[in-house]
Amino acid sequence: MNLLMLLPVFVVIGVLYFLRVNLLVWALAWWLGCYFLITHLLKIPAPVSVVKIYMSFISLGIAAFVISDRGRWESFKKPLLRLANEKKFMPLLILLVLAGPSLAAFKVYHSMSQPIEAPSFGRTIHPAPPDEITFKGKQIDLVKSRNPFRELEVKDPEAFKQHVESGRKIYFQNCFYCHGDALNGKGMFVHGLNPLPTNFTDPGTIPMLQESFLFWRIAKGGPGLPEEGGPWMSAMPAWENFLEEDQIWDVILFLYDHTGRKPRAAEAEHG
Amino acid sequence: MMQWFAGGQRCLRVVSTLTALILFNALLGNFALADTGPDVAYRAFPLVGSRVAVWVAAQLHLLFAAFVLAVPLFALIIEFIGYKTGDKRYDKLAYEFVKLLSVSFSFTASFGAALTFLLIILYPKFTTYLMYVFKPTFAPYVILLFLEGIFLYSYYYGWGKFKPKTHLFLGLGLNLVGTSIMLIANAWLTFMTSPGGITESGELISTWAAVKNYTWMPINIHRIIANVCFGGSVAAAYAAFKFLQAKTDEERAHYDWMGYIGNFVAIIAFLPLPFAGYWLAKEIYAFNQTLGVTMMGGAFSWLFIIQAVMIGNLFLSANFYLWLGMGRVEGGEKYQRYVKYLVVVIVTCILIWATPRSLISTAKEMQLMGGAFHPMLGYLGVMSAKNTAVNILILSTFLSFLFYRRCGKEATVSWAKLGNLAQALIMATAACIVLFFGIYGYFVEAAVRIKFSVPQVLSVLTAMISVSAIDYFLFRGARTKPIRWGNMPIISQYTLFFLAVTFTWLMGLMGYVRSGLRLHWHVYGIMPDTSPDAFTPTLGFATQVVSVTVLIFFCFISFIFWLASLSGKQNFDGSTAEH
């Protein structure tokens, strides 16, 4: 975060407080201050869609504050009424009347002069898995399936380590080109991919999922994604064509082990 | 001129009658063309298709049913308060609410009949299967429906005619029968999502098990609360409608009070609603994780972003109405100074609540973020942040209400300072518990994190109950200043309209999610939908259908408002109306 960006906001608030400005100026200052922070506080800027949602609610919040009390509303209106009615403010009023359409025209010009970009699409987070899949002729129940080697973590730690090691080798032989050697989704092919490969170090990815979900995703890849929520445009191969069942479970063990995450536990049975 | 006008009207009537006849013939003709015999599985509905026809009819039926179930519930409570306190205003208010019921009941039945006919005609095979599973539930349903009619009309027409206890008993009967009808209908629809009591091939094992399926009880609870919330908001909208029509200060005062009560009912019911929704979602996940993922993380997840934005608006509007209400109480200014802090907390919580996990972004933005998740904002998109935000939102709204309640009151009890301190400590403790579990949730695995919602919810509920209890005793015998009912700005009444429309729209949207997440199944995993409408519509189309349905509903409800307002008007011969 660019915490230094807080400084100008605090300075402006201090100056406005010292000048004892009216509510109209405060409301405008809050609105602009929030906009400035939302667009500048984060090192990686928030997408425009998020800025729009945030600023809509901030605008509504400021409006609710101003209108919800007669005294505040009067104080807010007073300078606007003076501006509209007093002759001495006529030049400023004309300027403001001209500024509105000018700003709109500038906005149109600005948005039309942007470089052409590939269209974006809202990719859903987790595609819904089927209840069961066929893996090389074998039916696998994704609801009930568990990683067969997970229990070794407690029962036989040595054997567990061997499976993790096997998973590590499989990962670096097959997966790291896209998902990266740090498992952060920044592999060497990443610049050619959209959507980007999953970042396994993100706490919002594999810890949120059961291992059977990962098994389905790895085994069936992009071609096995469900129709709803598409187009997925995933470049992930269907690894059932290249790996055995045990190898996929091994690589899943490695993903969790290396990132220090735990898979999502199965929900308790319904009583 | 007048002759020309009358002629024009006649012409218009002829044209509209002819158009209606042509449309009717077209509909019949289309049904007949699509019918290929008695064993047909599907028939097509002209123009909009079978799914949209059933969808709109079901949604309208459900909205009216929700209203008809909810209004008696709080009318009975208000009537009971009037009976206990002897304050005739409550009795009048309860009657005013009940006036909206009789026409609504007819509309509910009409849309119910339309839905049944549409299902039998358009989806005969599926309807036959439901009849096969739920055959034993139909007789009690019909009997209860008759009883509902008997209780409703006795309750309405018997107002002031029966002894108070007899009348209250009728109201109780009306509520019990209405709720029982809802429980039966809920069994049918929840069975479609989470079937039980049948074999894998769909053979019936036990009707009771089919009724008592995974999502039946969560839906029952969720619907009872949501119905009250919705009913309260629509009744408040009626009061706003009457407030805007009012010609005297007395009328304005009455309808301002009515709007306040309706909104109060809606907000009180709204506060526990997210918890009931959470339980329902958890049961859907427990029944089948595919359904759960489809709902929250898959094709329907974007609808939850819309839901979050709408809920944010609801919270802000509800608080806004309370803050405006402070203006009608002498001494309310004292609490206005806290509003700015409440705005900051509420808006911050709404921003967190409405931050999507997977962001809508351009290719360039996505490259910068390294995926669809923002490295910082992504943390606000997960359950820990959402639960924390919504719990703090609920606490803040409760605090707004507490401030409103205190306006113009001065506690006279000797322990007033201690009481205030205890309330502040309870609220602060609850907020700290919510924040602690919210932050700690980031450091534990998902299965543990889910369980954190329980202490969060319990701490908020405990705080609200205990603070209310202290408040009750604290302000017993307090010095009070008068409330200037009717002294509300016009915008407050439009806020009540907004709340009613938003609640209704949300019901439509989330109803679609609950029903649509079955995807191409009539009965999930048992009976596939092989009709041309089996595909899942685009999110845009779904929201359009929801919006149009809500618009139709409000056209009908405006008609009901108008009808209800006729009772207070003079007869055409100038005599005074009875009601």
Side-chain angles (χ1 to χ4, degrees):
Chain A
M1 282 174 91
N2 297 318
L3 290 175
L4 265 180
M5 292 296 155
L6 286 169
L7 197 64
V9 175
F10 285 136
V11 170
V12 172
I13 288 174
V15 170
L16 293 180
Y17 187 77
F18 180 73
L19 292 174
R20 295 184 175 277
V21 292
N22 60 42
L23 189 59
L24 175 66
V25 178
W26 269 119
L28 285 172
W30 271 106
W31 195 91
L32 290 170
C34 289
Y35 181 73
F36 177 78
L37 287 179
I38 288 168
T39 49
H40 290 82
L41 196 61
L42 298 165
K43 274 190 180 153
I44 296 170
V48 173
S49 64
V50 177
V51 176
K52 281 181 183 168
I53 294 178
Y54 283 8
M55 288 317 296
S56 304
F57 277 113
I58 287 166
S59 309
L60 285 173
I62 292 172
F65 172 70
V66 169
I67 304 169
S68 61
D69 177 62
R70 285 200 177 100
R72 283 198 293 266
W73 177 231
E74 292 302 323
S75 156
F76 182 85
K77 274 194 319 191
K78 203 174 161 188
L80 289 173
L81 289 174
R82 283 186 65 197
L83 178 74
N85 294 317
E86 291 183 20
K87 273 193 175 172
K88 64 177 176 182
F89 293 123
M90 188 59 88
L92 181 61
L93 188 63
I94 292 169
L95 210 66
L96 283 173
V97 168
L98 292 175
S102 308
L103 274 174
F106 174 75
K107 171 74 184 141
V108 173
Y109 170 76
H110 181 71
S111 52
M112 296 306 286
S113 59
Q114 293 295 310
I116 294 167
E117 274 189 55
S120 60
F121 73 100
R123 184 176 156 266
T124 47
I125 315 160
H126 306 310
D131 287 345
E132 61 175 22
I133 55 168
T134 309
F135 185 90
K136 295 184 177 175
K138 179 186 169 187
Q139 294 287 321
I140 296 182
D141 185 333
L142 291 180
V143 179
K144 292 174 187 160
S145 280
R146 306 284 176 264
N147 192 330
F149 308 124
R150 176 60 64 187
E151 59 183 15
L152 296 176
E153 197 171 7
V154 180
K155 284 184 182 170
D156 188 352
E158 271 309 308
F160 182 77
K161 268 186 194 171
Q162 283 172 16
H163 281 286
V164 172
E165 179 56 22
S166 154
R168 191 183 69 79
K169 281 183 186 157
I170 295 160
Y171 180 86
F172 281 99
Q173 281 165 357
N174 303 286
C175 318
F176 100 107
Y177 302 101
C178 299
H179 290 282
D181 49 7
L183 281 69
N184 58 2
K186 291 181 180 169
M188 61 183 81
F189 293 160
V190 74
H191 300 294
L193 299 173
N194 182 13
L196 298 171
T198 302
N199 170 7
F200 299 122
T201 60
D202 183 334
T205 56
I206 55 173
M208 310 288 267
L209 303 166
Q210 291 176 17
E211 286 177 288
S212 58
F213 185 97
L214 268 73
F215 185 90
W216 166 59
R217 288 289 61 257
I218 296 169
K220 299 294 177 184
L225 282 161
E227 282 179 20
E228 65 275 4
W232 296 94
M233 301 199 296
S234 168
M236 174 92 168
W239 289 99
E240 65 180 344
N241 300 324
F242 310 100
L243 298 174
E244 296 303 318
E245 186 184 342
D246 286 357
Q247 289 179 303
I248 296 181
W249 288 123
D250 281 350
V251 84
I252 292 170
L253 286 186
F254 167 72
L255 294 180
Y256 284 103
D257 186 74
H258 191 78
T259 54
R261 310 282 181 196
K262 292 277 178 200
R264 184 185 195 126
E267 298 289 340
E269 291 299 315
H270 182 69
Chain B
M1 182 70 182
M2 285 303 288
Q3 269 182 333
W4 177 84
F5 184 69
Q9 275 193 322
R10 265 199 303 277
C11 193
L12 196 68
R13 266 205 298 274
V14 171
V15 170
S16 53
T17 310
L18 278 175
T19 313
L21 278 171
I22 291 164
L23 275 174
F24 187 66
N25 273 323
L27 289 179
L28 283 179
N30 268 292
F31 278 134
L33 280 174
D35 198 343
T36 51
D39 296 329
V40 68
Y42 301 106
R43 292 186 185 93
F45 190 89
L47 302 174
V48 292
S50 300
R51 179 188 22 216
V52 173
V54 169
W55 182 354
V56 172
Q59 189 61 58
L60 287 170
H61 172 60
L62 194 137
L63 290 171
F64 275 106
F67 187 65
V68 169
L69 286 177
V71 173
L73 192 63
F74 56 79
L76 180 69
I77 295 168
I78 294 167
E79 189 194 357
F80 183 72
I81 294 169
Y83 168 67
K84 289 302 277 183
T85 58
D87 190 340
K88 288 284 172 202
R89 286 184 315 153
Y90 286 101
D91 196 66
K92 192 185 165 201
L93 181 69
Y95 181 63
E96 193 107 27
F97 282 129
V98 171
K99 271 203 304 195
L100 301 169
L101 278 181
S102 65
V103 186
S104 305
F105 184 68
S106 306
F107 277 132
T108 312
S110 304
F111 282 118
L115 173 63
T116 312
F117 291 142
L118 284 174
L119 280 172
I120 293 169
I121 295 168
L122 304 174
Y123 295 90
K125 197 177 163 189
F126 160 66
T127 314
T128 307
Y129 179 68
L130 273 192
M131 286 174 181
Y132 158 67
V133 175
F134 288 105
K135 196 170 56 184
T137 64
F138 294 131
Y141 187 83
V142 172
I143 293 166
L144 285 168
L145 212 58
F146 271 113
L147 281 175
E148 168 96 349
I150 292 166
F151 274 117
L152 176 73
Y153 289 113
S154 324
Y155 189 60
Y156 174 54
Y157 288 110
W159 207 283
K161 308 286 188 295
F162 293 111
K163 285 181 180 170
K165 277 187 184 168
T166 313
H167 194 258
L168 282 168
F169 168 76
L170 287 173
L172 184 68
L174 174 62
N175 276 292
L176 290 177
V177 169
T179 308
S180 308
I181 290 174
M182 187 195 73
L183 297 189
I184 294 177
N186 284 353
W188 306 335
L189 68 98
T190 51
F191 171 82
M192 290 159 68
T193 305
S194 53
I198 49 171
T199 63
E200 284 186 3
S201 57
E203 296 296 318
L204 180 66
I205 300 169
S206 151
T207 300
W208 173 237
V211 168
K212 203 176 90 47
N213 61 70
Y214 261 69
T215 54
W216 183 55
M217 199 42 80
I219 279 275
N220 290 337
I221 303 296
H222 194 62
R223 277 200 164 166
I224 289 172
I225 301 172
N227 286 353
V228 174
C229 191
F230 165 74
S233 72
V234 174
Y238 169 72
F241 170 78
K242 295 290 284 181
F243 181 97
L244 295 173
Q245 276 190 330
K247 297 209 167 43
T248 63
D249 285 346
E250 195 189 351
E251 274 185 320
R252 256 187 294 276
H254 175 70
Y255 289 112
D256 182 21
W257 183 55
M258 186 181 179
Y260 167 75
I261 298 282
N263 188 53
F264 173 76
V265 169
I267 299 306
I268 289 295
F270 179 51
L271 294 183
L273 203 52
F275 308 138
Y278 194 78
W279 180 35
L280 173 60
K282 190 174 177 298
E283 286 298 294
I284 290 173
Y285 264 102
F287 171 71
N288 186 299
Q289 76 158 358
T290 304
L291 280 178
V293 176
T294 302
M295 180 174 67
M296 297 297 290
F300 290 81
S301 60
W302 290 109
L303 295 177
F304 279 86
I305 300 302
I306 303 176
Q307 183 221 29
V309 170
M310 301 307 279
I311 287 180
N313 277 311
L314 279 179
F315 270 109
L316 195 58
S317 314
N319 278 280
F320 177 60
Y321 183 78
L322 287 171
W323 302 332
L324 280 171
M326 289 177 182
R328 63 158 99 87
V329 191
E330 271 181 50
E333 310 80 39
K334 185 178 161 189
Y335 293 99
Q336 279 288 354
R337 62 187 152 152
Y338 300 116
V339 169
K340 55 176 167 284
Y341 305 110
L342 284 166
V343 168
V344 171
V345 174
I346 287 167
V347 170
T348 308
C349 287
I350 293 174
L351 298 190
I352 295 169
W353 175 249
T355 303
R357 167 81 182 132
S358 175
L359 304 176
I360 301 170
S361 38
T362 62
K364 193 177 161 191
E365 287 169 338
M366 218 178 268
Q367 286 288 345
L368 279 170
M369 293 190 296
F373 312 135
H374 191 281
M376 289 297 291
L377 296 177
Y379 288 105
L380 305 182
V382 293
M383 228 44 216
S384 276
K386 305 288 184 208
N387 280 349
T388 308
V390 81
N391 278 294
I392 298 287
L393 257 179
I394 289 169
L395 268 184
S396 311
T397 306
F398 177 69
L399 197 61
S400 281
F401 174 68
L402 214 62
F403 286 153
Y404 171 77
R405 231 182 78 84
R406 286 171 167 229
C407 286
K409 283 184 187 165
E410 199 182 326
T412 50
V413 291
S414 57
W415 49 277
K417 272 191 178 172
L418 189 70
N420 280 323
L421 185 70
Q423 284 181 314
L425 276 176
I426 291 169
M427 292 292 280
T429 310
C432 287
I433 291 172
V434 169
L435 285 172
F436 169 76
F437 281 108
I439 295 166
Y440 189 41
Y442 284 97
F443 301 96
V444 293
E445 61 171 304
V448 180
R449 182 167 52 243
I450 287 169
K451 289 173 189 157
F452 284 177
S453 61
V454 178
Q456 284 184 316
V457 168
L458 284 180
S459 61
V460 170
L461 288 179
T462 310
M464 290 201 296
I465 293 166
S466 53
V467 167
S468 300
I470 294 173
D471 220 53
Y472 174 75
F473 291 108
L474 193 64
F475 287 97
R476 214 157 54 157
R479 275 191 289 275
T480 53
K481 288 177 181 167
I483 302 174
R484 296 166 297 205
W485 290 110
N487 189 17
M488 279 287 265
I490 296 295
I491 196 171
S492 62
Q493 306 308 307
Y494 290 105
T495 308
L496 293 180
F497 286 136
F498 175 80
L499 283 165
V501 173
T502 312
F503 274 126
T504 314
W505 203 86
L506 262 177
M507 274 177 80
L509 186 77
M510 297 329 279
Y512 165 66
V513 171
R514 180 197 52 72
S515 180
L517 66 92
R518 296 194 313 271
L519 303 175
H520 55 279
W521 295 94
H522 289 309
V523 179
Y524 189 73
I526 302 293
M527 189 180 196
D529 180 354
T530 54
S531 72
D533 289 323
F535 64 94
T536 302
T538 61
L539 303 181
F541 179 75
T543 51
Q544 281 167 15
V545 174
V546 171
S547 304
V548 170
T549 311
V550 170
L551 195 66
I552 297 171
F553 172 73
F554 273 95
C555 288
F556 277 103
I557 211 85
S558 304
F559 176 64
I560 291 172
F561 286 179
W562 175 74
L563 278 181
S565 68
L566 283 183
S567 65
K569 290 192 173 169
Q570 277 192 336
N571 292 334
F572 74 93
D573 59 2
S575 61
T576 313
E578 271 189 27
H579 294 291

